[in-house]
Amino acid sequence: MNEQPAGGYNFKLLRVDLNKGEISTEPLEEPFCRRYIGGTGFIIYYLLKEVRPEIDPLSPENKLIFAAGPLTGIPLGGASRHAVGAKSPLTGGIAKSEAGEWWGAQLKRSGFDALIVEGKAETPVYLWIHDGEVEIKQAGHLWGRMTKETQETIRSEVGDEKARIALIGPAAENLVSYACIMHGTHDAAGRGGLGAVMGSKNLKAVAVRGNNPPPVVDREGVRVVSTWLKENMDLVKGYRELGTGGAMELFEQAGNLPSHNFREGRFPAVGSISPTRIRETIRVGMEACFACPVKCKKVVEVHEPYIVDRAYGGPEYETIGAFGSCCGVDDMNAVARANALCNAYSLDTISTGVTIAFAMECFEKGLLSSEDTGGIELSFGNAGAMLEVIELIVRREGIGELLAQGSARAAERIGRGAQKLAMQVKGLEIPMHEPRLSKGLGLGYMVNPHGADHMDNMMDILMSGYGTKLAMSLDDALPLGLEPTTLEDGGPRKIAYFKAHHSKRIVCDCLLLCHFLPYSFAHIVQLTEAVTGWETTVTEQIRVAERVLTLCRLFNIKAGFTAEHDKLPERFFRPTPDGALKDKALNHEEMEAARRYYYDLMGWDEKGRPKAEKLEELGIEEFA
Ligand code: SF4
């Protein structure tokens, strides 16, 4: 290690105790930073150290942690992100989610690498962090306000139009289990109910602004990667032109687009909600996160029949799938409106859409009646009903009270076989990619500590280029010793692929890099070295990912999770009635074998419990 302190860090953690109204800072030592890197690594370390896993996630004992990484805020495409984490009110295990926008870069510039919020304020407050100064300000007048109005008011109160704001809307204040934390008005730390944790603390917002980024040791090294990206912008052409979901029609043909609560294999109306159609009709611009030339964020505007304020951005692929094909809705304006409502109220669009799709299927099967829905005809394809139910969820009124708990708990309450219709793993609703098509992805849904997540995962179908063989860049595959595999494969080669890809994604969630950028592991190592000044390797970075995932596993075990929770809904073990998945279904034995092989690769026993020697190898035996 160099004599000089590493670049990329402020080496400072900010702690705000809302019970006592106390603000303090703590040093982050360089060896600690190197062991956990940042982001998700910092979050799981502090959660295990400071939060009893068995607590009520909405009690003041839970802690809400915002953590940037050494790459957050450097002048490079994709280096805009930060992570947020806590014990999840949706799953009961660890929740962690990343957001782009400019908030993380401003946190770094304000002099901190991470923020831990603990306790609960007596009355609503917000934090104002600016160039090393921190204030707790009253927010009673903002409680109940939408995100746009809240952001405008806070910027005016702190006198800084460039302040970046992490904030919640009424859904989080009302403790909807899958409420999210918005960053500005259209970027979310979406998954796992982190917004509800923030609401439970009476914390309306965290505004940040700073002018002093931490040093970068080797600017030329960063510039080399930045130049590579500029010269290879073709690799992100799809994102630039259409945003996420540019391949939606192809997804539908291949069987990757979930339809009608993952029941049908086809959605022939895909062309009416696809990003191509959005570009032709309601799209009015594209925006970018901090320093990113990709500019993949759609901006849309609708005046009738629904109003969609452009401030709330446009729907990402996941949102189009969740409110569109998954709810059987082919009305693009309604999907855009649903997205805007979620961003205004701070709801996770995936969990909201999939929970409503679940309710639609329950309604179709008579498990929910018109009496239960308050007279709403909650059928697949009924866009008006979908929008009405979002409002009820936010207010927790009528059917909204049931659905505000997420599909798993709602299914338990409905009973009579409704559990089979809840498309979730560990309580987290499944995103818009089909595991019947991608077994590596399916394994990821099973074993991810925070539930069914597509970001910390591999996308077999994308890596196959819609063919049969999977490709990983040579830069990635060679040092990892990966052998060629196929789309159909669910055996050891595929599991090794999954573990490698998953590790890379976890490393990106610690350094903080956007998953949409086509950086290889070699680039990631190069960037880490250039920013921090450390000499590192792919092996060291994979070791960090293993450490982080093993700590997440320990947190979940202590919270009551077992190997039994690493399983997919039964629906995926049957083919769809139509479409490309007509002959495709997962096989129990194969997925069980995949799970066990993955545990083995991770150094966990057959029940998924990390082995003592693995904890020792990773230097985390203190957490056993
Ligand atoms: S690729 Fe898109 S989401 Fe990722 S940093 Fe760039 S603009 Fe943001």
Side-chain angles (χ1 to χ4, degrees), residues 213-232:
V216 167
V217 170
D218 171 16
R219 291 199 164 270
E220 180 57 20
V222 174
R223 204 186 56 74
V224 168
V225 179
S226 180
T227 303
W228 175 86
L229 179 64
K230 279 187 199 125
E231 289 167 356
N232 288 277

Side-chain angles (χ1 to χ4, degrees), residues 532-550:
T532 63
W534 300 329
E535 278 177 26
T536 185
T537 58
V538 172
T539 308
E540 182 183 358
Q541 300 216 331
I542 288 186
R543 189 52 54 91
V544 174
E546 286 183 354
R547 186 175 294 127
V548 167
L549 285 166
T550 300

Side-chain angles (χ1 to χ4, degrees), residues 78 80-81 288-289 292 294-297 514 516-517:
S80 56
R81 298 176 81 78
C289 304
C292 190
V294 179
K295 246 183 161 184
C296 77
K297 322 288 288 183
C514 177
F516 298 158
L517 275 297

